[in-house]
Amino acid sequence: MDESIKDEILQAAKEEFLTFGYQEASMRNIASKAKLTTGSLYYRFIDKAELFDAIVGQDASNLLNMFIQAQENFATFSVMKQIKEMESYTHFKMKEMIDYIYNHFDSFQLIICKSNGSKYEYFIDSMVDIEVKNTKRFIQDLKKKNIPVHDVDDNLNHILCTSLFRAIFEVVVHQMQKKEAIEYIDKVYRFYEVGWMELLGVKF
């Protein structure tokens, strides 16, 4: 595909998705904005799912992989190092993720705010599932080292992780400036940190 034509299509599609969302976006409108016939657009992209994926897919995958890598790396630390460095490590990795989100802000506006009906509708849930799994792993690691820790049932774990990530992505929903977003997320994280210390009976 001619790269200049592809760029025009993707720009037209991004504008359409940002304006109308995935469900209400029209391939006909996208073709018109890109100065193509509808048939010519369908020749290049099978449907709007493929178009949406072409716009946000790489950015979604990169952020998810950043998060997975951060969790996997943290899990290699000794239990005492995990406790000692929980706060500083989390702040550092959260800053990296915020940098990435703000460097690709349009993509994350589409993913978080405009993806209903697409496979990206449950993007936040994917991150929640990873957080839930690693929270359980952390609690089990503490127990293996005979460090006193309170149990947290699966439902509560999932509810807390869900509320945390939905709070984090509110910076995208509200289109906060990056500086404001960093300050907001720092406060959100400190709020949850204190709560988790109380629930687990462990001081980070």
Side-chain angles (χ1 to χ4, degrees):
M1 185 189 306
D2 185 293
E3 286 301 314
S4 63
I5 294 176
K6 181 179 179 181
D7 289 344
E8 288 180 14
I9 292 171
L10 294 180
Q11 182 58 40
K14 182 191 289 187
E15 292 172 4
E16 178 77 3
F17 288 131
L18 283 170
T19 302
F20 298 104
Y22 176 82
Q23 284 185 319
E24 300 302 322
S26 162
M27 290 289 276
R28 181 171 295 177
N29 287 348
I30 293 168
S32 177
K33 289 176 182 177
K35 298 180 174 58
L36 296 171
T37 65
T38 305
S40 181
L41 177 60
Y42 275 109
Y43 176 77
R44 292 171 170 84
F45 291 93
I46 296 171
D47 53 22
K48 63 183 179 181
E50 186 179 9
L51 254 178
F52 199 80
D53 190 54
I55 296 168
V56 307
Q58 191 61 59
D59 291 336
S61 178
N62 287 348
L63 187 68
L64 199 59
N65 286 334
M66 284 174 65
F67 183 53
I68 291 169
Q69 185 59 50
Q71 293 280 9
E72 290 179 349
N73 185 56
F74 187 73
T76 66
F77 295 172
S78 69
V79 172
M80 295 311 297
K81 185 176 180 180
Q82 288 182 50
I83 295 172
K84 181 180 178 181
E85 298 191 10
M86 173 81 74
E87 181 178 359
S88 60
Y89 184 87
T90 301
H91 276 272
F92 177 73
K93 291 300 179 180
M94 194 69 73
K95 175 65 165 52
E96 283 188 338
M97 290 173 62
I98 291 300
D99 285 343
Y100 190 83
I101 289 169
Y102 273 80
N103 286 336
H104 305 85
F105 198 78
D106 283 351
S107 288
F108 288 100
Q109 269 208 300
L110 289 172
I111 292 166
I112 303 304
C113 307
K114 304 290 184 176
S115 64
N116 284 356
S118 79
K119 70 178 184 179
Y120 296 96
E121 181 176 356
Y122 302 105
F123 178 78
I124 292 178
D125 296 309
S126 299
M127 301 192 79
V128 168
D129 289 344
I130 295 165
E131 182 73 7
V132 166
K133 175 184 174 183
N134 281 279
T135 300
K136 290 175 69 174
R137 190 269 316 153
F138 176 65
I139 293 171
Q140 290 304 313
D141 284 353
L142 293 176
K143 288 181 177 180
K144 288 175 185 176
K145 293 296 183 180
N146 296 315
I147 297 172
V149 59
H150 302 154
D151 279 320
V152 176
D153 70 53
D154 289 345
N155 286 334
L156 181 57
N157 186 9
H158 190 271
I159 289 168
L160 292 174
C161 292
T162 299
S163 62
L164 170 61
F165 277 88
R166 295 211 175 275
I168 288 170
F169 280 104
E170 283 293 295
V171 303
V172 176
V173 175
H174 292 284
Q175 300 183 41
M176 292 183 186
Q177 294 297 310
K178 184 178 177 181
K179 181 180 178 182
E180 180 187 8
I182 291 170
E183 292 172 354
Y184 164 83
I185 289 173
D186 180 64
K187 291 175 182 176
V188 167
Y189 175 73
R190 284 192 281 116
F191 175 83
Y192 277 88
E193 182 182 43
V194 172
W196 274 110
M197 284 193 294
E198 177 67 23
L199 282 173
L200 297 177
V202 176
K203 186 172 178 59
F204 303 143

